Amino acid sequence: MNHVFAAAPDSASMSTQQVKFFSGENVPLELHKVRVVQKLHLVPLERRLAATNESGFNTFQLGTKDVFLDMLTDSGVNAMSDNQVASMLQADDAYAGSQSFTRLQSAVEDVFGKKYLLPVHQGRAAENVLSRRFVKPGSIVPTNYHFTTTLAHIMENGGRVLEIYTDEALKLKSSHPFKGNMDIAKLEAAIATHGVASIPFVRLEASTNLIGGQPFSIANMRAVRAVTQKHNIPLVLDASLIGENAYFVKQREDEFKNSSIAQILRAMCDLADIVYFSARKVSSSRGGGICTNDKAFFDSIKDLVVLYEGFLTYGGISVREIEAMAVGLRETTDETVISQSPQFIEYLVNRLDEQGIPVVTPAGGLGCHIDAMGFLPHVAQKEYPAGALAAALYIASGVRGMERGTVSSVRDEHGNDVLADAELLRLAMPRRVFTLSQVKYVEDRLVWLHKNRDLIGGIHFVEEPAVLRFFNGRLAPNSDWPQRLAAKFRQDFGDSL
Ligand code: F0G
């Protein structure tokens, strides 16, 4: 193992990295310096209006030449560290037996404590393989909350997802520290109702994405583990956002306040039979993986990896990315690496909350989540308020967010929209990408938008793909509201971008 690139962070960098300001102001401080930069373009309002139309009111369809701050996702767009970039130069190109893979394997073993690793090209590839292996027609998969691609793969194999969240999870305004917890009594009841035979595994998602990046506690995971162990049901952990979950455990769960992030990561992974992850999120690179200490699981899955992903020592990932994954995974144990994004999110969430803008609280991982139904109470849910707000924010600022509401949902067997539990506009905060003045710009434009919210109307589908429609669907406004919003922008901001 190359000790320069792959060394675990030293103990000094494992302590809590909160710097107090003499002024008393709570300012998140960047504990890194910027060494490589990319120029951004804030295109004029007219171009933003045109781009909104060309993209079919779907921010996934915008080109980055028209985007100022890209807050669509944190997936594959986190900043790479110098050590990650350096590690890519020592990649060992080989179809089979690459030493790059060996380095990844040892990082997975050190950080997640799992001996057997199957590489896959990204998180949903892990979901494809796991669903093909475990899910059959009629299967039920209990989870703290589904993720879009997880649900699609489970459904693709004839299964169903059962959301077993606590009463607190869907309360957008809350002070509950662990809204990602699973309700243990409901889990027991679900097992009693559906029977062990129909439950191939129980799935826990770290920093539960669709409810606002909300963590679960280790106490809760232990309780879930006790139930699954009693019934001999495998526990699968989606670790795509495990760094953030670990950060919140350290901040919010008393038992772990003096533990290192490395210890917390191990405590979570030790409770799971299978851990899978999107490396695009967890280690700020590409790729993904499935890991376990159970040789029988490993053996029963590996043929599917060879069939769908690639040979067992690359799994559809380039060796350069494998090197960056290995270093990135080790860096996930460094609190200075994983804390900046949650701290910036907390800053933005608290500032918006203070100014009466409805946001999901407490601040979670991944991004700031705006409650679009609270923001736009006059837009009916069937007119996709979160999608409309995403388009309006882009017009007002060039900031690209992501709709996480009914557009990201599915239709039922009668062709009716399944209205989402919440209509959220997600503003992702990739790791170490933005500066605080950029975050303040987002805050400023949201405050302006909120003051002018009555000008924003609904949208409707004009082209609707059958699967994961939010990626490639096209929508249109229900009135000329985008023009009216733009006119008000001109009035208030004049020639300013
Ligand atoms: N699981 C979780 C919790 C995720 O957040 C994602 C991706 C996946 C699985 C799938 O991983 O993209 O590598 O195939 N989330 C991204 C997002 C797409 O923007 O939230 P993938």
Side-chain angles (χ1 to χ4, degrees):
M1 187 202 305
N2 183 313
H3 66 281
V4 175
F5 300 141
D10 59 77
S11 55
S13 65
M14 284 183 181
S15 59
T16 299
Q17 300 283 344
Q18 299 270 10
V19 179
K20 279 203 177 102
F21 274 57
F22 179 59
S23 66
E25 206 190 333
N26 192 7
V27 181
L29 183 65
E30 296 87 343
L31 291 164
H32 53 265
K33 65 177 177 180
V34 178
R35 293 181 59 218
V36 178
V37 295
Q38 183 179 358
K39 191 167 157 54
L40 290 173
H41 301 277
L42 177 49
V43 296
L45 176 68
E46 296 310 323
R47 177 61 207 145
R48 302 202 295 265
L49 261 183
T52 306
N53 280 318
E54 288 161 21
S55 66
F57 283 73
N58 179 352
T59 54
F60 275 101
Q61 298 296 318
L62 287 166
T64 52
K65 69 178 187 346
D66 292 319
V67 173
F68 176 43
L69 303 178
D70 195 356
M71 304 183 96
L72 185 74
T73 180
D74 59 341
S75 174
V77 292
N78 291 321
M80 294 273 244
S81 71
D82 46 2
N83 281 335
Q84 278 184 296
V85 175
S87 74
M88 293 171 102
L89 292 176
Q90 61 165 8
D92 176 23
D93 250 322
Y95 190 93
S98 162
Q99 293 310 292
S100 299
F101 181 71
T102 310
R103 283 188 276 272
L104 177 62
Q105 232 174 358
S106 89
V108 167
E109 189 162 2
D110 290 349
V111 178
F112 289 163
K114 302 292 183 207
K115 277 203 294 277
Y116 303 108
L117 168 68
L118 292 162
V120 292
H121 78 273
Q122 62 185 82
R124 74 199 67 182
E127 293 169 340
N128 174 39
V129 166
L130 288 171
S131 300
R132 281 176 185 272
R133 159 71 175 78
F134 289 105
V135 178
K136 297 181 190 57
S139 290
I140 308 275
V141 178
T143 177
N144 51 345
Y145 208 77
H146 74 276
F147 183 67
T148 51
T149 54
T150 326
L151 176 67
H153 281 295
I154 289 169
M155 286 173 64
E156 190 76 7
N157 287 281
R160 201 153 63 79
V161 153
L162 204 61
E163 322 268 16
I164 305 194
Y165 43 79
T166 62
D167 293 342
E168 217 42 57
L170 300 184
K171 283 188 195 148
L172 301 181
K173 262 204 148 11
S174 160
S175 56
H176 197 286
F178 293 109
K179 285 160 73 177
N181 280 355
M182 200 176 251
D183 186 315
I184 304 302
K186 286 188 202 153
L187 176 62
E188 285 276 24
I191 295 171
T193 308
H194 298 285
V196 172
S198 67
I199 302 179
F201 59 87
V202 171
R203 173 181 178 275
L204 257 190
E205 182 181 307
S207 305
T208 324
N209 189 328
L210 293 190
I211 61 167
Q214 299 291 325
F216 56 70
S217 67
I218 292 186
N220 182 256
M221 190 174 181
R222 284 184 187 135
V224 173
R225 170 76 190 172
V227 174
T228 57
Q229 204 163 28
K230 183 169 80 189
H231 296 285
N232 207 16
I233 299 171
L235 178 57
V236 173
L237 172 65
D238 179 337
S240 306
L241 287 163
I242 198 170
E244 288 75 3
N245 206 113
Y247 171 77
F248 290 121
V249 163
K250 180 160 176 150
Q251 297 288 316
R252 301 176 185 177
E253 195 166 359
D254 219 35
E255 181 186 339
F256 295 94
K257 65 172 189 269
N258 295 320
S259 306
S260 69
I261 295 294
Q263 288 165 333
I264 297 171
L265 290 171
R266 280 297 285 273
M268 290 190 275
C269 291
D270 284 351
L271 292 166
D273 298 294
I274 296 177
V275 175
Y276 78 87
F277 57 95
S278 165
R280 301 173 62 85
K281 285 176 124 72
V282 73
S283 64
S284 58
S285 172
R286 302 288 180 274
I290 304 170
C291 56
T292 180
N293 279 329
D294 188 320
K295 179 84 165 49
F297 277 145
F298 173 80
D299 286 338
S300 72
I301 302 169
K302 68 181 186 206
D303 287 352
L304 290 169
V305 172
V306 180
L307 189 60
Y308 292 108
E309 298 300 308
F311 191 71
L312 294 182
T313 57
Y314 74 89
I317 323 167
S318 83
V319 280
R320 288 163 61 90
E321 301 290 357
I322 287 177
E323 293 285 359
M325 256 171 99
V327 174
L329 208 54
R330 291 187 188 280
E331 288 177 349
T332 298
T333 63
D334 179 343
E335 199 171 336
T336 69
V337 172
I338 57 168
S339 64
Q340 195 235 352
S341 158
Q343 285 175 7
F344 269 29
I345 294 165
E346 188 182 19
Y347 179 86
L348 182 58
V349 164
N350 291 348
R351 301 282 288 221
L352 293 173
D353 195 31
E354 282 157 23
Q355 293 170 88
I357 295 176
V359 278
V360 172
T361 59
L366 209 173
C368 165
H369 294 76
I370 298 169
D371 165 16
M373 284 199 284
F375 201 109
L376 303 174
H378 55 285
V379 177
Q381 199 176 0
K382 61 181 186 340
E383 296 185 11
Y384 309 135
L389 188 57
L393 177 62
Y394 173 72
I395 292 169
S397 65
V399 172
R400 165 158 79 167
M402 186 192 287
E403 193 273 1
R404 293 277 83 160
T406 300
V407 173
S408 300
S409 179
V410 289
R411 287 190 186 268
D412 65 16
E413 61 274 28
H414 310 295
N416 299 318
D417 259 335
V418 177
L419 298 180
D421 290 327
E423 291 289 326
L424 302 179
L425 166 60
R426 180 180 89 177
L427 301 173
M429 202 74 76
R431 273 185 201 166
R432 301 189 295 183
V433 169
F434 299 127
T435 62
L436 199 60
S437 58
Q438 291 172 330
V439 174
K440 281 171 178 276
Y441 170 79
V442 178
E443 174 197 337
D444 181 78
R445 288 301 189 261
L446 277 166
V447 170
W448 178 82
L449 214 49
H450 193 240
K451 288 208 164 36
N452 292 288
R453 60 191 176 277
D454 291 347
L455 293 172
I456 303 170
I459 52 177
H460 61 275
F461 270 103
V462 288
E463 275 173 42
E464 190 180 335
V467 177
L468 296 172
R469 63 183 184 173
F470 60 91
F471 282 135
N472 294 315
R474 295 185 66 78
L475 300 99
N478 295 346
S479 68
D480 67 347
W481 68 258
Q483 284 70 29
R484 285 188 283 119
L485 185 69
K488 184 69 167 68
F489 184 93
R490 266 181 231 109
Q491 195 184 320
D492 289 351
F493 292 99
D495 289 340
S496 163
L497 292 170

